Amino acid sequence: MKEKVILAYSGGLDTTAIIPWLKEHFDYEVICCCIDCGQGSELDGLEERAKLSGASKLYIEDLVDDFCDNYIIPCVQANAVYENKYLLGTSMARPAIAKRLVEIARKEGASAICHGATGKGNDQIRFELGIKALAPDLKIIAPWRMTDVWTMQSREDEIEYCRQHGIHLPFSADSSYSRDRNLWHISHEGLELEDPASEPNYEHLLVLGVTPEKAPDEGEYVTMAFEKGIPVSVNGEKMKVSDIIRRLNELGGKHGIGIVDIVENRVVGMKSRGVYETPGGTILMEAHQQLEELVLDRATMEVKKDMGNKMAQIVYEGKWFTPLREAVQAFVESTQEYVTGEVKFKLYKGNIIKAGTTSPYSLYSESLASFTTGDLYDHHDADGFITLFGLPLKVRAMKMAEAEKAQK
């Protein structure tokens, strides 16, 4: 009986060419597993393509709600943003995919999992750290790192390899952007983006929305409600998280929200340039932050900012299934107990403009914040506070003056 391998299958040229390659070089029975994290029409026709290419079986696993509830929401609550810009769209999906690949491998009694990530990118790390954490006994096959047996170096090579194995597929050798899409975002790399000096060709590039210049000339008000840091409605309509993100994607795309051009530091040590479209995610993150401004105290906000940066690094580096991620997430969840309320804002030409925030747990006191003197605050109390708060500065200045005088 042949050993089984689970192939993380996207239906693209790379993973399609891997099917006959695995059979030829390892004599595996290839079982394809396509994980649906919200990539839409990219899943059309996959079963026929996988079988035509030599796979014995294809799983199409709907992970959209799992992805939203168990991976996106913890990152939103943490305000996890990598290098100030990247909202972790690809990074968050990889552990969800790795977990399901392991589950399918166990179900099928497979001895290995194969992925089509390159040897230069982050995804190889994210997939493999997830698999190692969940199933250390499974073999991992990464064709693009096996240069002694994987000799294909271009799309033309892959198309020819498939043709030689009797597989004629509707793929073109034409150059295009390298993209990764799910419900949260779409990323774009390649072509003119490989030169940081080049402006992105947004007319050719954008998929989920328009540039701010092409957005409507009239703004649009949106109201969101949260319960314990989780979004529950948009414009008064209650929805599950995945549907909220879908709705926000429509609104954000329409108004040119969430387009990011970034040169980021990959885990493997190089810099890479890409453009991310995250229209709904950008709105959701901003609305959540606006509510936290009203509810969280200063000291908690300070520490939570550090934890958010740490969470972003953990997720970016593929370390989701670690005690550290669990600990950081536990801290973040404890801060969300009172992040309940309503946020109103206006979308206008790439901007998210505040239009009012309310919460039953608001820490804002109008009587304290106003210029009139309230019962809880006596202006004279500031004298003693400033004296003590500034004491270290004053003492240092006096000591420095004494030292300078002694040297004369």
Side-chain angles (χ1 to χ4, degrees):
M1 187 182 232
K2 290 184 178 182
E3 287 188 75
K4 296 179 180 179
V5 60
I6 305 301
L7 171 63
Y9 186 63
S10 68
L13 180 56
D14 287 350
T15 53
T16 298
I18 287 173
I19 297 173
W21 180 84
L22 284 169
K23 297 177 71 174
E24 178 181 355
H25 291 279
F26 299 96
D27 196 31
Y28 276 122
E29 177 188 344
V30 181
I31 297 170
C32 290
C33 186
C34 177
I35 308 298
D36 180 7
C37 289
Q39 49 267 53
S41 61
E42 293 180 12
L43 302 179
D44 295 346
L46 285 197
E47 186 160 5
E48 181 182 356
R49 189 178 304 166
K51 296 286 182 66
L52 180 65
S53 305
S56 65
K57 190 183 294 187
L58 170 68
Y59 285 87
I60 297 181
E61 299 289 294
D62 184 348
L63 245 65
V64 173
D65 286 328
D66 176 52
F67 175 44
C68 292
D69 297 340
N70 298 314
Y71 298 88
I72 289 177
I73 287 301
C75 290
V76 170
Q77 291 179 325
N79 188 34
V81 180
Y82 183 70
E83 295 188 341
N84 300 313
K85 290 184 178 180
Y86 173 41
L87 302 189
L88 301 171
T90 301
S91 312
M92 294 185 295
R94 296 317 187 216
I97 294 170
K99 185 170 183 283
R100 185 52 58 93
L101 291 174
V102 168
E103 291 168 355
I104 298 297
R106 295 305 193 205
K107 179 180 177 180
E108 288 286 344
S111 59
I113 293 176
C114 177
H115 65 78
T118 72
K120 282 188 173 182
N122 295 315
D123 281 344
Q124 57 181 339
I125 298 167
R126 296 164 183 156
F127 282 133
E128 295 186 31
L129 263 59
I131 295 166
K132 288 176 187 294
L134 299 172
D137 56 302
L138 291 179
K139 182 191 294 186
I140 300 172
I141 300 173
W144 281 98
R145 300 204 304 261
M146 303 170 70
T147 53
D148 52 336
V149 286
W150 178 269
T151 56
M152 292 170 274
Q153 298 296 316
S154 66
R155 289 180 65 85
E156 290 88 350
D157 290 347
E158 292 175 318
I159 291 170
E160 177 60 22
Y161 180 80
C162 288
R163 189 191 63 77
Q164 290 174 2
H165 288 76
I167 305 166
H168 299 278
L169 297 167
F171 291 120
S172 166
D174 295 340
S175 294
S176 63
Y177 296 104
S178 172
R179 290 183 166 112
D180 178 79
R181 181 176 183 175
N182 57 44
L183 189 66
W184 187 247
H185 87 155
I186 185 167
S187 64
H188 312 265
E189 294 179 342
L191 299 187
E192 79 277 0
L193 301 181
E194 293 189 347
D195 180 4
S198 297
E199 180 181 7
N201 181 2
Y202 287 118
E203 294 294 323
H204 182 214
L205 180 150
L206 294 178
V207 173
L208 300 181
V210 299
T211 59
E213 294 91 337
K214 292 199 169 183
D217 291 331
E218 186 174 339
E220 183 171 358
Y221 285 96
V222 179
T223 301
M224 290 186 66
F226 290 81
E227 292 178 5
K228 296 189 175 183
I230 298 172
V232 294
S233 72
V234 177
N235 292 333
E237 184 180 350
K238 285 192 171 292
M239 289 178 273
K240 61 182 181 178
V241 173
S242 59
D243 287 338
I244 286 175
I245 294 172
R246 289 186 182 96
R247 179 68 58 82
L248 295 178
N249 276 336
E250 294 171 5
L251 292 166
K254 173 183 174 183
H255 291 280
I257 306 293
I259 302 168
V260 167
D261 181 355
I262 181 176
V263 176
E264 70 193 61
N265 290 292
R266 286 183 179 173
V267 182
V268 293
M270 70 183 73
K271 288 185 181 290
S272 68
R273 196 266 190 102
V275 170
Y276 297 103
E277 293 180 74
T278 321
T282 301
I283 296 171
L284 178 51
M285 295 280 271
E286 175 64 23
H288 179 262
Q289 281 183 267
Q290 288 184 21
L291 185 55
E292 283 194 329
E293 286 180 8
L294 204 61
V295 171
L296 296 187
D297 64 276
R298 177 184 176 187
T300 301
M301 287 276 279
E302 286 179 357
V303 176
K304 187 173 179 292
K305 183 178 179 181
D306 292 337
M307 290 297 100
N309 289 334
K310 177 56 68 176
M311 184 75 161
Q313 181 183 2
I314 290 168
V315 177
Y316 190 83
E317 294 179 352
K319 297 177 180 176
W320 186 275
F321 300 108
T322 60
L324 179 57
R325 191 275 304 167
E326 293 173 1
V328 172
Q329 186 173 330
F331 167 81
V332 170
E333 287 178 352
S334 74
T335 69
Q336 300 301 292
E337 180 68 23
Y338 301 107
V339 184
T340 293
E342 192 171 271
V343 181
K344 186 178 180 181
F345 46 87
K346 182 168 69 174
L347 304 179
Y348 179 68
K349 291 192 175 294
N351 296 290
I352 305 169
I353 304 166
K354 281 186 180 182
T357 311
T358 60
S359 170
Y361 305 109
S362 171
L363 298 183
Y364 182 87
S365 169
E366 186 174 352
S367 64
L368 274 173
S370 70
F371 286 98
T372 58
T373 302
D375 295 335
L376 293 177
Y377 195 92
D378 186 328
H379 287 278
H380 296 97
D381 293 341
D383 288 336
F385 169 76
I386 295 170
T387 297
L388 296 178
F389 195 63
L391 187 60
L393 299 175
K394 183 174 182 178
V395 170
R396 182 180 183 278
M398 291 169 62
K399 290 296 183 181
M400 292 295 290
E402 288 177 7
E404 289 177 9
K405 186 177 180 180
Q407 289 175 359
K408 291 181 180 178

